[in-house]
Amino acid sequence: MRWGVFGVVVVLVVATGCSGFAGSPSQSAGTAVDSQPAVNVPESTVTVTVTAVVDGDTIQVAYENGTGDTVRLVGVDTPEVHTENDPAEFEGVPETDDGASCLRGAGTNASSLAKQRLLGETVGLAFDPNLNRRGYYDRLLAYVVNDETLFNYRLVETGHARVYDSEFERAELFYAAEDAARSDRRGLWRCTDPGEVIRTAIADGGTESASGVEIAEIHADAAGNDNENLNDEYVTLTNTGDATLDLSGWTVSDAVGHQYMFTNLTLDSNGLVTLYTGSGTDTETERYWGRNGAVWNNDGDTVIVKNASGATVFRQSY
């Protein structure tokens, strides 16, 4: 059985969306992840509504007739949030309290991502021809398709899940995505060195803190013409620290000075906020830049994040 590695990358990176592709498997830690060029999205055979997220790889759904079911996502395994994790199950993660604690945080982040992307949404379910429809615990084994994206694969390519070894049809593609995420130390792949902390400044005057904002997901290459599909260009940030962060007054800008400022926003521990390039109604988990054109150049750019006092806390070129 082949096992993956989880970790956490605390460097904030925001990726491209104007032309071409942003990021490649050979890029460094924190590299943006583009929209699934390597995996074909299966055709959905059942439409359901997601009624609950058990954890990052298990959801509860309701069928159109009102009955319910539990779905275990095919091909992925996220760390546990309701029971203890065994670091030995994750290649390279030390079998220590720090390793187990890092995995617990990784599992919480994966669950948070699933809640934001799937909870309350109508999604499609597709089934793998190489697997039974139900697993050992009588859970439905399925691919989850949302907004023409294969969520199972997204968990792997963004580093929120390792590949769960089985005979599923897309295993080779999933393993390639896992290898790229691990090589880049993308998303949650820092648990191989859970003691490493990249210290960042917070918005209370620039003091240093082990709390940090991490990239949870980047969707850089919008479907079709990027300039005509601005809300398909977005970045999701998560707070990997234990304390709530006040992001009011924090800014995100590119190399030529296009700048967005967060207002009236606090980010709880393991909370998520998605910044869309286009327009919409701001909420606690979704913010809209309000631009009339794409921001992030696909052939390279620099992301600069400053705190409320104007100090640069992240600067990353890609």
Side-chain angles (χ1 to χ4, degrees):
M1 185 171 293
R2 179 174 179 174
W3 302 103
V5 185
F6 282 87
V8 179
V9 178
V10 184
V11 176
L12 168 65
V13 184
V14 183
T16 67
C18 296
S19 63
F21 292 105
S24 69
S26 62
Q27 287 179 291
S28 60
T31 299
V33 176
D34 235 326
S35 57
Q36 306 184 11
V39 62
N40 60 316
V41 178
E43 183 177 352
S44 302
T45 58
V46 179
T47 299
V48 297
T49 299
V50 179
T51 58
V53 171
V54 179
D55 55 28
D57 56 39
T58 306
I59 59 176
Q60 293 178 347
V61 302
Y63 296 104
E64 294 177 343
N65 64 5
T67 61
D69 214 336
T70 299
V71 177
R72 177 64 167 81
L73 275 63
V74 165
V76 300
D77 183 36
T78 60
E80 301 293 339
V81 294
H82 303 295
T83 61
E84 293 300 318
N85 286 287
D86 180 3
E89 295 181 351
F90 300 90
E91 182 181 344
V93 176
E95 297 181 46
T96 62
D97 290 343
D98 284 346
S101 176
C102 183
L103 288 172
R104 173 59 64 90
T108 300
N109 285 338
S111 297
S112 295
L113 182 63
K115 288 176 183 177
Q116 188 178 55
R117 291 282 172 249
L118 302 179
L119 188 59
E121 297 294 321
T122 298
V123 302
L125 300 182
F127 303 98
D128 194 285
N130 295 346
L131 302 178
N132 294 326
R133 286 210 174 188
R134 293 196 177 271
Y136 182 78
Y137 297 104
D138 200 38
R139 296 177 298 187
L140 201 62
L141 304 177
Y143 296 107
V144 175
V145 180
N146 183 36
D147 292 335
E148 300 182 354
T149 297
L150 181 54
F151 187 74
N152 311 47
Y153 184 82
R154 175 163 289 176
L155 285 171
V156 175
E157 69 170 347
T158 56
H160 286 86
R162 70 175 179 90
V163 177
Y164 185 83
D165 192 29
S166 70
E167 299 300 320
F168 70 105
E169 188 176 53
R170 290 170 172 78
E172 183 176 350
L173 295 173
F174 275 50
Y175 276 125
E178 179 189 80
D179 289 344
R182 183 172 61 246
S183 176
D184 288 352
R185 304 186 76 223
R186 183 186 303 149
L188 305 174
W189 290 89
R190 203 181 58 82
C191 284
T192 54
D193 187 5
E196 178 185 355
V197 175
I198 300 175
R199 303 181 72 83
T200 62
I202 59 175
D204 62 359
T207 59
E208 287 191 338
S209 170
S211 298
V213 175
E214 177 201 335
I215 193 74
E217 181 185 13
I218 290 175
H219 197 269
D221 188 24
N225 186 322
D226 292 358
N227 291 308
E228 297 176 357
N229 194 13
L230 296 175
N231 285 341
D232 199 31
E233 179 184 82
Y234 57 82
V235 57
T236 300
L237 310 180
T238 183
N239 174 12
T240 63
D242 295 330
T244 297
L245 286 177
D246 184 0
L247 296 188
S248 301
W250 284 46
T251 60
V252 177
S253 59
D254 66 0
V256 297
H258 299 123
Q259 180 175 281
Y260 173 85
M261 178 182 288
F262 290 106
T263 58
N264 300 320
L265 178 65
T266 57
L267 197 59
D268 292 336
S269 175
N270 296 306
L272 294 164
V273 61
T274 298
L275 174 61
Y276 297 94
T277 299
S279 299
T281 301
D282 287 345
T283 69
E284 288 301 303
T285 59
E286 297 179 332
R287 294 298 169 104
Y288 294 86
W289 197 318
R291 290 190 52 79
N292 57 13
V295 174
W296 308 107
N297 297 318
N298 288 346
D299 58 355
D301 208 332
T302 299
V303 181
I304 303 165
V305 179
K306 296 183 178 182
N307 65 16
S309 63
T312 299
V313 295
F314 299 108
R315 183 183 183 90
Q316 177 74 30
S317 297
Y318 60 87

